[in-house]
Amino acid sequence: MYFAALLARTEDGWEASDTELDDVETLSDLSDLAREASVDDDTVLVYIEQEDAWFGVVRVDGEEDPRIYVSDAAAAARSSYGEILLTDELLGRDPGDDDVADLDSLDLDGTEDGEPGSEADDDDEDDVGVTAKGETVPSGPIGDREVLTDLGVNEKELLALDSTDALGEIAERLGAAEVLETVR
């Protein structure tokens, strides 16, 4: 089961609305949807979650490029809505490149090359997902980990969020919990 909501910042605080993503096929469509909800080109957050599996936050500030964070890329890759967020740029691929990116060259787990990761990462071959297009996607968080920092949710807090009620925790920190409850 999916839930999607828009949180639009206004002079008076946050406004929330649930949204249907049936007509959204690309990140551009999603960004346009967010811009339509914007008041005076203020910040709009698009939140998408698949129950207990993954969540994604897309931040749109006026006409700037959207900023994206996905809690688990492999889980999102198995979802049509998740695939909208997993752009070539986010995955470190050249647009239109038919070759799958070398996953070892991507810094998706927060470690630098040569730093030890967890042993489970090295031993677990199930730590990848496959998109509908057959592209391999790593497990774990991906994207802009500082997408909410200036709004009160720093990188460490974002990474610690559990998919069970991440939206509620984010809304609480933004001061938008009450308006979000009206659309849940």
Side-chain angles (χ1 to χ4, degrees):
M1 173 138 176
Y2 291 95
F3 176 74
L6 297 172
L7 291 174
R9 187 163 57 180
T10 68
E11 287 180 1
D12 301 323
W14 292 91
E15 291 181 5
S17 59
D18 61 341
T19 187
E20 288 295 322
L21 299 178
D22 294 340
D23 296 330
V24 175
E25 295 179 10
T26 66
L27 181 59
S28 179
D29 293 343
L30 190 61
S31 298
D32 290 344
L33 183 69
R35 287 185 182 102
E36 289 171 12
S38 176
V39 177
D40 297 326
D41 288 336
D42 256 338
T43 300
V44 177
L45 300 176
V46 180
Y47 183 89
I48 303 170
E49 70 180 6
Q50 181 180 5
E51 193 172 285
D52 297 335
W54 66 275
F55 70 91
V57 177
V58 178
R59 178 177 178 162
V60 177
D61 294 300
E63 293 300 317
E64 292 181 27
D65 288 341
R67 296 169 57 191
I68 305 165
Y69 172 81
V70 177
S71 66
D72 186 337
R78 295 184 288 271
S79 150
S80 59
Y81 295 132
E83 282 195 336
I84 292 170
L85 305 181
L86 298 175
T87 63
D88 287 336
E89 181 181 344
L90 191 68
L91 295 170
R93 298 181 183 141
D94 291 329
D97 187 2
D98 291 336
D99 296 331
V100 175
D102 177 10
L103 294 179
D104 293 332
S105 68
L106 299 177
D107 178 23
L108 302 175
D109 64 354
T111 63
E112 297 293 328
D113 289 341
E115 277 187 44
S118 77
E119 290 180 22
D121 290 347
D122 296 336
D123 297 335
D124 191 357
E125 292 182 15
D126 294 331
D127 274 356
V128 295
V130 179
T131 67
K133 299 174 192 169
E135 299 165 328
T136 304
V137 178
S139 180
I142 190 170
D144 186 346
R145 296 174 181 189
E146 295 181 357
V147 68
L148 301 172
T149 299
D150 65 322
L151 299 174
V153 182
N154 66 37
E155 177 181 352
K156 183 178 179 180
E157 293 167 328
L158 184 63
L159 290 170
L161 291 176
D162 158 333
S163 295
T164 315
D165 191 31
L167 176 57
E169 291 181 42
I170 290 170
E172 182 72 34
R173 293 209 179 107
L174 298 177
E178 287 182 29
V179 294
L180 179 65
E181 279 305 310
T182 63
V183 298
R184 269 211 171 217

